[in-house]
Amino acid sequence: MKQRYDELRSEAWNLPDGKQKVTVLEEAVRIADLYMSKEDAYYARMSYSEAALMSGFEERFIVSFAWCLSQFEKQPELYDSHQLIWHYKWLIGIIWRFPQFGAVQIADIYYDFKRMCLQYGHSLRPYYSKIHMYALVSGHAELAQTYYEAWRKAPYDAMSDCRACEQNMFGYFHLASGRYKRGLQTLKPILSGKMSCRSIPQNTYSHVLMPLLEIDQHDEAAKLARKCSRMLKGPGYLEEYGRLIGYYAATDLNKAAKLLESTAAYAISNKTDWNRFQYLIGAKAFFSLWNEKKRKRKLNVHSSFTSEWVEAESERLARAFDDRNGNEYCQGLLAHKVNQVRKRRTC
């Protein structure tokens, strides 16, 4: 069985992120659990966790990583603390995306990550970065500002995100706060091609499209939308697809329709509620315009993906996040984003 285990891990190494890679590593985990040591099972799960996360299966990552964290805490001397804390950083970056995790539970997880960073001699820069984002998307602007300032002051070390990811988040902080020109200026090193990584610039492109329309830079928005369309591939970019659909709903409804047809299945199957919510914002904006006229063309999407379902599901998710966060921020965000698209469409 050791030979089969090694073969599976070698096979997974050569596969691109996606369902096939996740399936191969699931089999390696099963073999390790049945026939091999706890250490083998641990490292098989760490590989599986990363593949699941990078392939868009964030809910599987959470379950797998929780097992690894428990095992690490029992015998930390057996495992690589840097790898474990890096995966823990991924966890605090996505745990808030599931409204079934309550505010107290999430706060405890962030506190434990902070404790572990201090225990193993790491900077709190990633802690402040991730908790700032959680505060920002939860509608707690003053708290987000406080954490943002602490993040900028904290020393950079090997546990920090890459420079491109950080620059992207710096810019997003200003864009989300309505400071479009400042946000775009902050993102200039990425937009000019000087900074990039695995998810940058495609994530950046999707964020700047509507702000560019808001300040009447239509040609720049169109150029970046074309680049973004070429770079997005697979179910791992559900949020970016949603923002791109919203942009095209405002500028080219037929392009929006084609993009929706090619990606709606991802939204139906995805289990991460925040990602689905972000996608459905764009879909709701699209349908609000598409349904205004009688159209001969019927959308080529699953029969369950109707404008009525999109409206109901987007509103349900907004309420679920707001109930967890103790405000009405997401319901307001949904209305604002849809109205923003409609406003730019009528200009």
Side-chain angles (χ1 to χ4, degrees):
M1 281 300 176
K2 177 68 164 61
Q3 181 179 351
R4 178 57 179 160
Y5 172 84
D6 290 338
E7 288 173 352
L8 288 167
R9 297 202 69 186
S10 177
E11 179 184 350
W13 181 263
N14 294 309
L15 287 172
D17 292 329
K19 191 172 183 179
Q20 184 181 1
K21 184 173 185 175
V22 171
T23 300
V24 168
L25 288 170
E26 280 179 344
E27 178 65 11
V29 169
R30 188 189 70 82
I31 290 174
D33 282 345
L34 289 174
Y35 304 107
M36 304 177 72
S37 69
K38 285 287 186 183
E39 291 92 329
D40 291 319
Y42 175 93
Y43 285 111
R45 273 188 176 80
M46 291 294 278
S47 296
Y48 169 76
S49 297
E50 180 171 354
L53 182 65
M54 300 305 171
S55 301
F57 300 106
E58 294 176 338
E59 75 287 353
R60 299 190 192 187
F61 166 83
I62 292 173
V63 174
S64 179
F65 176 72
W67 187 96
C68 293
L69 179 60
S70 175
Q71 193 66 26
F72 178 89
E73 289 174 338
K74 292 175 185 175
Q75 294 180 292
E77 70 280 1
L78 295 180
Y79 306 108
D80 180 356
S81 64
H82 186 278
Q83 183 190 34
L84 187 283
I85 297 172
W86 191 273
H87 281 226
Y88 208 158
K89 182 181 69 170
W90 286 340
L91 177 73
I92 65 170
I94 66 171
I95 195 68
W96 53 263
R97 295 172 178 265
F98 298 84
Q100 57 265 45
F101 290 101
V104 173
Q105 187 177 9
I106 293 173
D108 288 343
I109 291 171
Y110 272 92
Y111 178 83
D112 189 60
F113 175 78
K114 180 180 180 181
R115 174 196 62 79
M116 191 168 284
C117 284
L118 293 173
Q119 179 180 347
Y120 287 91
H122 296 294
S123 168
L124 292 182
R125 190 177 181 91
Y127 165 77
Y128 288 125
S129 165
K130 303 304 180 187
I131 202 168
H132 135 270
M133 181 59 69
Y134 172 44
L136 187 64
V137 300
S138 300
H140 301 294
E142 291 185 7
L143 197 57
Q145 179 72 44
T146 299
Y147 287 131
Y148 176 82
E149 292 169 2
W151 169 27
R152 296 300 299 260
K153 293 175 183 176
Y156 192 95
D157 72 358
M159 194 56 63
S160 303
D161 287 327
C162 78
R163 298 291 188 179
C165 282
E166 286 211 329
Q167 196 71 25
N168 184 58
M169 288 188 287
F170 293 154
Y172 177 71
F173 171 70
H174 295 298
L175 295 178
S177 303
R179 297 185 289 272
Y180 295 150
K181 290 184 178 179
R182 185 173 179 184
L184 290 166
Q185 182 63 31
T186 302
L187 293 170
K188 193 172 181 180
I190 296 173
L191 299 176
S192 64
K194 294 180 180 178
M195 300 179 77
S196 65
C197 71
R198 183 192 187 105
S199 61
I200 308 300
Q202 54 268 46
N203 179 268
T204 312
Y205 291 160
S206 74
H207 279 302
V208 303
L209 298 177
M210 290 308 297
L212 284 168
L213 289 188
E214 288 291 315
I215 61 174
D216 295 322
Q217 292 191 23
H218 298 270
D219 291 344
E220 182 68 8
K223 181 182 74 173
L224 295 182
R226 289 193 295 270
K227 288 184 177 181
C228 189
S229 297
R230 291 194 295 266
M231 297 181 78
L232 298 182
K233 297 184 185 301
Y237 290 104
L238 192 61
E239 289 185 78
E240 289 85 351
Y241 286 129
R243 288 189 282 271
L244 194 56
I245 288 170
Y247 165 77
Y248 278 130
T251 59
D252 189 329
L253 208 53
N254 286 324
K255 281 188 178 180
K258 290 179 181 178
L259 184 58
L260 183 112
E261 288 174 325
S262 66
T263 58
Y266 299 152
I268 294 172
S269 62
N270 193 279
K271 300 295 190 298
T272 307
D273 284 339
W274 180 261
N275 300 1
R276 292 175 65 241
F277 175 57
Q278 292 294 303
Y279 181 89
L280 293 176
I281 290 175
K284 182 177 180 180
F286 163 80
F287 277 119
S288 76
L289 293 165
W290 183 262
N291 291 338
E292 285 185 344
K293 297 180 181 179
K294 284 190 174 182
R295 300 178 187 276
K296 294 181 180 179
R297 178 189 170 192
K298 184 178 179 181
L299 291 172
N300 183 24
V301 294
H302 191 276
S303 59
S304 65
F305 198 90
T306 63
S307 60
E308 293 80 10
W309 178 82
V310 167
E311 182 169 1
E313 184 66 1
S314 60
E315 291 176 357
R316 182 190 71 81
L317 291 172
R319 289 193 300 271
F321 282 109
D322 286 344
D323 288 345
R324 196 267 310 282
N325 300 331
N327 54 31
E328 296 182 349
Y329 173 76
C330 288
Q331 294 173 78
L333 180 68
L334 175 60
H336 168 71
K337 292 291 187 180
V338 172
N339 289 335
Q340 186 181 42
V341 169
R342 293 183 60 83
K343 172 188 169 186
R344 300 311 305 182
R345 182 70 180 176
T346 57
C347 289

